[in-house]
Amino acid sequence: MGCDGGTIPKRHELVKGPKKVEKVDKDAELVAQWNYCTLSQEILRRPIVACELGRLYNKDAVIEFLLDKSAEKALGKAASHIRSIKNVTELRLSDNPAWEGDKGNTKGDKHDDLQRARFICPVVGLEMNGRHRFCFLRCCGCVFSERALKEIKAEVCHTCGAAFQEDDIIVLNGTKEDVELLKRRMEERRLRAKLEKKSKKPKTAECVSKAGVTDDSAGPSKVKAGRPEEAEPDPKEKKSTLASRGTAASGGAGKAGKAPCAALKRSIADSEESETYKSIFTSHSSAKRSKEESAHWVTHTSYCF
């Protein structure tokens, strides 16, 4: 069985030992992490965003993932912690002036220098190729090397001047320990936001209930004060109300007696005013007409002679 034709098998062909662990090429791994999108595996192009765990994505790939979260996508597990576009931050990257890209590669025979990177640190000038640790600020999205943050200690961003805290610093493509720390911070941050949202709901409900109670208590006074300012009623209703008020007033005066009305009615002739003042009124003697000046029975008009 086998070994026909004088073949001599060697030991490693007959004895199966333990499989060797395949080692991943470091350069290839760094290129995949820093030059390609974690979700779509396409070359990174602006706008570039980063999640709370420090992974790099194309913004359009994240939007497509949020719109279509199908189970068929195996790479969806890498972005399972992204629930909305608010969970990612758009990065402000500084271009590397020494980066040429594919400008001189017309024939396809140009050597790709893996040490060159498209972006650099704006403070120190280190290239963002994976050889140096880089981080970004969650509050503004500016990207710096970790060396720049350690050497120039400040509480504001070196580029835009925005204030930040220790919790806002997120390491890009960090180690397993860094990812675990960032994951813990992310969960604490989301839990804190959830509790704050729940605590705000009862406060708003109490404010609404208090406002309702004050409106009910102040209701009658507002109605009474607002009656004169209400819209005018119809003319028919206005006439009816005026008539009812007039009848009520006349009835009340009749019940009280005619003495007040008689007291109000007094002749101007009995007053102590001057004759000139009295001559204005029709009750004065000068205003009275004689029989000759009285009206004719045909005209029925007292002022027609």
Side-chain angles (χ1 to χ4, degrees), residues 204-220:
T204 52
E206 287 176 5
C207 293
V208 170
S209 61
K210 286 180 181 178
V213 170
T214 52
D215 290 343
D216 294 341
S217 61

Side-chain angles (χ1 to χ4, degrees), residues 289-297 299-305:
R289 298 177 183 274
S290 61
K291 289 182 180 180
E292 297 175 356
E293 295 174 347
S294 61
H296 195 266
W297 64 273
T299 61
H300 301 285
T301 306
S302 59
Y303 298 104
C304 186
F305 304 104

Side-chain angles (χ1 to χ4, degrees), residues 11 22 56 63 66 89 103 108 110 119 131 137 145 160 163 167 179 186 213 218 237 240 263 276 287 301:
R11 185 178 182 279
E22 295 181 359
L56 299 173
I63 294 171
L66 293 173
T89 306
K103 291 179 182 178
K110 184 182 176 183
F119 310 109
R131 303 290 177 182
L137 303 180
S145 63
C160 63
D167 190 35
V179 172
M186 178 186 69
V213 170
E237 295 179 1
S240 61
T276 308
T301 306

Side-chain angles (χ1 to χ4, degrees), residues 99-112:
W99 170 258
E100 296 179 358
D102 296 332
K103 291 179 182 178
N105 192 13
T106 55
K107 298 180 180 179
D109 56 352
K110 184 182 176 183
H111 172 69
D112 291 333

Side-chain angles (χ1 to χ4, degrees), residues 17 72 93 170 180 251 267:
E72 298 176 0
L93 297 161
I170 296 178
E180 288 177 2
S267 177

Side-chain angles (χ1 to χ4, degrees), residues 222-239:
K222 286 182 181 177
V223 171
K224 288 180 182 177
R227 278 182 183 175
E229 299 175 4
E230 289 177 357
E232 292 184 359
D234 296 337
K236 294 180 180 179
E237 295 179 1
K238 195 172 183 181
K239 287 179 182 179

Side-chain angles (χ1 to χ4, degrees), residues 100-296:
E100 296 179 358
D102 296 332
K103 291 179 182 178
N105 192 13
T106 55
K107 298 180 180 179
D109 56 352
K110 184 182 176 183
H111 172 69
D112 291 333
D113 188 2
L114 299 178
Q115 301 297 326
R116 291 289 180 190
R118 292 169 56 191
F119 310 109
I120 60 171
C121 172
V123 180
V124 184
L126 295 175
E127 295 188 0
M128 199 172 75
N129 53 11
R131 303 290 177 182
H132 310 280
R133 286 168 63 88
F134 272 73
C135 51
F136 75 95
L137 303 180
R138 199 170 55 88
C139 56
C140 60
C142 296
V143 181
F144 305 98
S145 63
E146 196 175 47
R147 185 188 297 180
L149 290 176
K150 286 181 178 178
E151 289 181 358
I152 307 171
K153 293 183 179 180
E155 296 181 355
V156 293
C157 176
H158 301 313
T159 304
C160 63
F164 66 91
Q165 299 177 354
E166 189 69 24
D167 190 35
D168 295 329
I169 302 173
I170 296 178
V171 180
L172 289 171
N173 292 324
T175 59
K176 291 182 179 179
E177 291 78 12
D178 295 330
V179 172
E180 288 177 2
L181 179 62
L182 293 172
K183 193 173 184 179
R184 202 179 309 118
R185 285 183 183 177
M186 178 186 69
E187 291 172 356
E188 290 175 359
R189 199 182 301 116
R190 290 183 180 181
L191 182 62
R192 200 183 310 121
K194 195 175 181 181
L195 293 173
E196 287 178 2
K197 193 175 181 181
K198 283 185 178 180
S199 63
K200 284 181 182 178
K201 285 183 179 179
K203 288 181 181 178
T204 52
E206 287 176 5
C207 293
V208 170
S209 61
K210 286 180 181 178
V213 170
T214 52
D215 290 343
D216 294 341
S217 61
S221 62
K222 286 182 181 177
V223 171
K224 288 180 182 177
R227 278 182 183 175
E229 299 175 4
E230 289 177 357
E232 292 184 359
D234 296 337
K236 294 180 180 179
E237 295 179 1
K238 195 172 183 181
K239 287 179 182 179
S240 61
T241 53
L242 290 172
S244 61
R245 286 178 186 175
T247 52
S250 62
K255 289 178 182 179
K258 296 181 180 179
C261 294
L264 293 171
K265 290 180 180 180
R266 60 189 183 86
S267 177
I268 194 66
D270 300 335
S271 64
E272 298 178 356
E273 302 293 337
S274 63
E275 290 297 326
T276 308
Y277 179 75
K278 290 178 181 179
S279 63
I280 299 172
F281 301 94
T282 56
S283 60
H284 193 259
S285 59
S286 63
K288 293 180 181 178
R289 298 177 183 274
S290 61
K291 289 182 180 180
E292 297 175 356
E293 295 174 347
S294 61
H296 195 266

